[in-house]
Amino acid sequence: MTRTVADAALMMSVLAGPDPRDRHSLPAGDVDWLGSVAGAGSDGLSGLRVAFSPRTSATWRWDPEVREIAARAAAVFEKDLGCVVDQADPGWENPFDSFWGLVVADTDLAGMRAMVDEHGAEMSPHLVELVRRPWTGGGTDHGRGWSARR
């Protein structure tokens, strides 16, 4: 997304914080993204521990090219910045199925079903299937999604 640390700080100064269109967004923090870059160097990083997970769970699949790029980036912390990089496995389950419960919970499902009834033949089959599924709330479909988000 960016080519330099300063560009990343500029991006974060714009992106971080609440979005009035997303009721789940976090409040603004007190991080001075641009100020944190001033005079930043690698000399203060030597010896710090960095966790790197080449896999986030047994069920998630990474594109091999993405895995290689991430591994090279982790190596920079160790070789160039003097950090201690520890391999870590957070043991997370793949949230993909839970994610759809969140999407449906935040959607006008009745409106989407009316749209599928009228235009379903022109829509992606997986979306039609998702909308027509008999969704349940509480501790089941939606509840699993909310638990995964937490």
Side-chain angles (χ1 to χ4, degrees):
M1 296 183 138
T2 67
R3 293 185 184 268
T4 67
V5 172
D7 285 349
L10 178 61
M11 181 181 75
M12 289 301 296
S13 72
V14 174
L15 294 177
D19 184 330
R21 299 167 295 179
D22 181 2
R23 67 179 182 266
H24 301 293
S25 63
L26 298 173
D30 59 354
V31 176
D32 177 10
W33 295 102
L34 295 171
S36 67
V37 176
S42 63
D43 51 333
L45 300 178
S46 183
L48 291 180
R49 293 180 61 205
V50 176
F52 171 65
S53 178
R55 56 177 233 154
T56 40
S57 83
T59 58
W60 291 18
R61 294 188 180 104
W62 283 35
D63 179 283
E65 185 179 1
V66 172
R67 183 187 304 268
E68 176 59 31
I69 291 169
R72 284 195 320 257
V76 168
F77 281 91
E78 192 164 37
K79 293 176 185 166
D80 298 344
L81 302 176
C83 298
V84 176
V85 176
D86 293 324
Q87 297 277 322
D89 183 353
W92 296 329
E93 295 298 319
N94 188 336
F96 186 79
D97 292 332
S98 299
F99 171 75
W100 292 114
L102 294 173
V103 170
V104 169
D106 284 344
T107 300
D108 173 12
L109 190 55
M112 290 293 293
R113 285 181 171 155
M115 188 183 308
V116 164
D117 289 343
E118 187 174 341
H119 303 286
E122 304 163 37
M123 298 171 72
S124 298
H126 74 279
L127 179 58
V128 171
E129 180 183 338
L130 177 79
V131 170
R132 288 192 173 148
R133 179 177 162 185
W135 290 94
T136 60
T140 54
D141 295 324
H142 304 316
R144 278 193 301 271
W146 290 319
S147 292
R149 176 187 283 158
R150 281 191 292 276

